[in-house]
């Protein structure tokens, strides 16, 4: 056909017998020739395609040619729903704790265990889901994570006692922990470099949507229909996401190419191009081939697993630990995850308690009895501050860069936390000041979070991206647990002590981002570590 003819015209031998030169769209690409020792799956692809019509593209070039359109918008919306399930899971426990505690006769120790169960479950879910995503694919990892979350969210609604409820919420947390690694890996892998920033910010905004949904559903159901009905409603985002994955979402073409399934990757990209109206950009006989396949381990690329279309589950995790470049990235970016999680969760989960105590003091002075309504109103205002943070970060990540956005948002959020401590430590009057400071802190923090998610996903090669996102998510869960515990203990010292703690933590997060010169804005996604045009300097 016409596509095959163009492919043959653009596909020629270079002077070096070891390479082939591919010219597409004005771009000159040097690719390694197929050899007997190459991956078995790619050899099968070549054998089943006429040698006169074979066209090889790198994943980056193929994704750029497909472009952005309705397919990526649907995919981003679907994965945003999966990210929203995380917020629903975290908020659900806080919302049901008073009613469920009274209904099941929970002790203080059991309430504490219930509050921590989701974070502990998400820690293990992030690690396991990340490894699964690199071993078996992003689609399977996301579907399994959503199924686990939905199943145990529904079972928790029927929990007969406190122990069963705690166990179910722990397992539901395993699900959302695994989902985060999958969604933040797969969305960038379908996008050209110029579009990754804005789509990633939309994906990260799922937290805001999940928070609003959880708060609205809780307010509508818990007082009248009970906490068990609310837990059924909390499973709906996961169920909807699972249905969307089963009906619509294909496997990542970058993942397929990285495990030697170049023809399958081309089929996925052909489907994307058809949805976007760019089918003419995908030539007949296309094979998508990473510059190397397998997993980087100790600086050596291993092709193992391509014959089966997957990797050994332990290989991607071992690469993060053994390869000097990957381990350094994991430590540096992981430190930022720890401190930002420490500061944000530590202060934000403590805010309702602060509002309640301050408004109770107002009640004691003027005899008012509307403190509870104002706590809900203040919490809603702070949650809505996500919106300007999301909008601003969508532009900042492309204008000043991912790393710089993380650093500056964290630094300015620390100033907002300090202002909150100063204003909030004054008299019982003037609540507008400390609510405004809390809103500014949340908006700036969310902007940093969005950039951090994107920066992290782009910093690691396809072969280890899901595992890396899972490991970073697990580090963040540890930071959130430590932060909430530290701020909870600090309340006994001073009502504003948590704000000062958050201030210091956000400064440390900003310093961690500035400690590396790793910038990923405008760069091609790496398929193997050290690939030219990848993550940039360290």
């Amino acid at each position: 056909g016409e596509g095959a003819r163009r492919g043959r015209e653009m596909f020629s031998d270079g002077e070096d017998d070891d390479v082939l030169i591919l010219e597409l769209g004005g771009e000159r690409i040097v690719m390694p020739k197929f050899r007997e020792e190459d991956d078995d799956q790619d050899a099968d692809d070549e054998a089943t395609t006429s040698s006169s019509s074979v066209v090889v593209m790198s994943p980056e070039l193929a994704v750029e040619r497909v472009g952005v359109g309705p397919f990526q918008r649907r995919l981003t919306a679907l994965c945003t729903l999966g990210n929203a399930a995380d917020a629903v899971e975290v908020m659900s426990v806080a919302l049901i704790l008073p009613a469920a505690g009274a209904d099941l006769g929970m002790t203080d120790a059991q309430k504490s265990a219930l509050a921590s169960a989701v974070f502990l479950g998400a820690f293990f879910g992030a690690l396991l889901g990340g490894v699964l995503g690199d071993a078996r694919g992003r689609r399977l990892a996301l579907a399994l994570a959503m199924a686990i979350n939905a199943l145990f969210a529904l079972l928790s609604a029927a929990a007969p006692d406190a122990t069963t409820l705690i166990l179910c919420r722990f397992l539901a947390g395993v699900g959302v922990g695994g989902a985060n690694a999958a969604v933040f890996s797969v969305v960038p892998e379908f996008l050209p470099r110029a579009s990754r920033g804005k789509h990633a910010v939309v994906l990260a905004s799922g937290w805001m949507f999940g928070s609003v949904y959880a708060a609205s559903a809780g307010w509508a159901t818990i007082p009248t229909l009970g906490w068990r009905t609310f837990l059924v409603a909390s499973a709906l985002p996961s169920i909807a996401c699972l249905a969307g994955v089963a009906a619509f979402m294909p496997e990542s073409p970058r993942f397929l190419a990285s495990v030697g399934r170049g023809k399958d990757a081309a089929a996925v990209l052909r489907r994307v191009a058809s949805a976007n109206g760019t089918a003419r950009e995908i030539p007949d006989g296309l094979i998508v081939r990473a510059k190397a396949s397998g997993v980087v381990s100790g600086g050596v690329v291993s092709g193992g697993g391509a014959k089966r279309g997957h990797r050994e589950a332990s290989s991607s995790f071992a690469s993060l630990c053994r390869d000097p470049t990957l381990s350094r990235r994991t430590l540096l970016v992981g430190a930022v995850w720890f401190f930002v999680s420490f500061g944000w969760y530590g202060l934000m989960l403590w805010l309702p308690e602060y509002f309640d105590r301050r408004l109770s003091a107002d009640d004691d002075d003027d005899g008012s009895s509307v403190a509870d309504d104002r706590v809900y109103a203040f919490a809603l205002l702070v949650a809505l501050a996500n919106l300007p943070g999301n909008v601003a970060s969508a532009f900042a990540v492309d204008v000043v860069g991912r790393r710089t956005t993380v650093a500056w948002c964290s630094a300015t959020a620390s100033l907002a936390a300090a202002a909150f401590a100063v204003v909030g430590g004054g008299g019982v009057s003037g609540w507008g000041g400390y609510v405004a400071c809390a809103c500014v802190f949340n908006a700036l923090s969310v902007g940093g979070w969005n950039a951090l998610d994107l920066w992290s996903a782009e910093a690691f090669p396809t072969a280890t991206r899901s595992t890396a996102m899972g490991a970073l998510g697990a580090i963040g869960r540890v930071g959130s647990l430590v932060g909430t515990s530290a701020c909870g203990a600090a309340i006994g010292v001073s009502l504003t002590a948590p704000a000062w703690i958050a201030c210091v933590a956000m400064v440390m997060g900003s310093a961690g981002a500035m400690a590396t010169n790793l910038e990923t804005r405008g760069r091609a996604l790496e398929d193997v570590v050290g690939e030219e045009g990848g993550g940039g300097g360290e």
Side-chain angles (χ1 to χ4, degrees), residues 4-75:
R5 183 187 64 77
R6 292 199 308 270
R8 290 193 296 272
E9 290 176 356
M10 294 182 289
F11 196 66
S12 61
D13 284 318
E15 295 180 1
D16 191 333
D17 290 338
D18 292 331
V19 301
L20 294 170
I21 297 174
L22 176 64
E23 295 183 2
L24 289 172
E27 184 173 353
R28 186 178 176 89
I29 305 296
V30 179
M31 300 292 295
K33 284 185 178 179
F34 293 114
R35 296 187 178 278
E36 292 182 1
E37 65 268 25
D38 283 340
D39 297 327
D40 294 342
Q41 183 66 46
D42 274 339
D44 292 343
D45 289 344
E46 186 180 12
T48 57
T49 306
S50 171
S51 61
S52 63
S53 62
V54 172
V55 179
V56 179
M57 287 189 195
S58 67
E60 185 72 18
L61 178 59
V63 170
E64 290 286 340
R65 290 177 67 85
V66 165
V68 179
F71 179 90
Q72 283 88 350
R73 289 193 287 271
R74 290 195 296 267
L75 177 67

Side-chain angles (χ1 to χ4, degrees), residues 126-417:
L127 293 176
L128 296 173
V131 172
L132 179 65
D134 281 331
R136 297 296 188 272
R138 285 51 162 145
R139 185 175 186 269
L140 175 62
L142 180 56
L144 185 59
M146 291 290 90
I148 291 173
N149 178 251
L151 173 62
F152 288 101
L154 292 173
L155 289 177
S156 64
D161 52 50
T163 301
T164 304
L165 179 61
I166 293 169
L167 177 61
C168 286
R169 299 320 291 184
F170 166 81
L171 293 171
V174 171
V176 294
N180 273 357
V183 298
F184 283 104
S185 295
V186 73
V187 169
E189 291 176 349
F190 275 94
L191 289 164
R193 67 187 73 179
S195 303
R196 290 197 299 262
K198 290 181 174 59
H199 279 259
V201 169
V202 172
L203 172 60
S205 69
W207 182 274
M208 177 185 70
F209 298 133
S211 299
V212 172
Y213 172 79
S216 302
W219 204 344
T221 59
I222 295 176
T224 56
L225 301 176
W227 61 273
R228 296 181 187 274
T229 301
F230 168 71
L231 289 182
V232 173
S234 74
L236 295 182
S238 293
I239 294 173
C241 183
L242 176 60
V245 171
F248 160 74
M249 179 178 157
E251 184 52 81
S252 162
R254 283 186 177 271
F255 168 79
L256 292 171
S258 75
V259 295
R261 296 169 58 186
K263 201 172 183 180
D264 291 337
V268 170
L269 288 168
R270 194 168 286 110
R271 171 183 167 185
V272 176
S274 177
N276 290 349
T278 57
R280 65 184 181 279
E281 299 294 335
I282 302 299
D284 295 336
L286 173 66
I287 293 177
V288 182
R289 182 173 174 82
K291 291 187 178 180
S293 60
V295 180
V296 179
S297 179
V300 178
V301 179
S302 168
K307 184 175 182 179
R308 300 183 304 277
H310 58 74
R311 301 182 184 86
E312 294 300 325
S314 61
S315 58
S316 57
F317 189 80
S319 297
L320 292 181
C321 300
R322 295 175 183 172
D323 182 84
T325 302
L326 292 181
S327 59
R328 175 176 170 80
R329 290 182 189 178
T330 304
L331 289 174
L332 289 172
V333 180
V336 180
W337 274 80
F338 178 87
F339 286 113
V340 171
S341 298
F342 186 113
W344 188 85
Y345 280 100
L347 182 55
M348 293 302 296
L349 296 187
W350 162 84
L351 277 179
E353 176 70 13
Y354 174 86
F355 291 152
D356 183 63
R357 294 192 184 192
R358 287 296 305 266
L359 293 173
S360 294
D362 282 338
D363 290 347
D364 291 341
D365 285 350
D366 60 20
S368 173
S369 60
V370 296
D372 287 346
D373 288 341
R374 284 182 291 170
V375 168
Y376 282 120
F378 293 169
L380 180 60
L381 287 173
V382 175
L384 289 175
N386 280 275
L387 183 58
N390 285 327
V391 173
S393 62
F395 295 95
V397 293
D398 286 328
V399 174
V400 302
R402 284 65 155 143
R403 180 185 68 98
T404 303
T405 301
V406 173
W408 281 103
C409 283
S410 299
T412 51
S414 72
L415 296 178

Side-chain angles (χ1 to χ4, degrees), residues 329 458 518-520 522-526 528 530-537:
R329 290 182 189 178
E458 293 178 334
L518 174 65
E519 178 54 69
T520 61
R523 300 270 188 169
L525 287 182
E526 293 175 291
V528 295
E531 182 179 336
E532 184 178 356

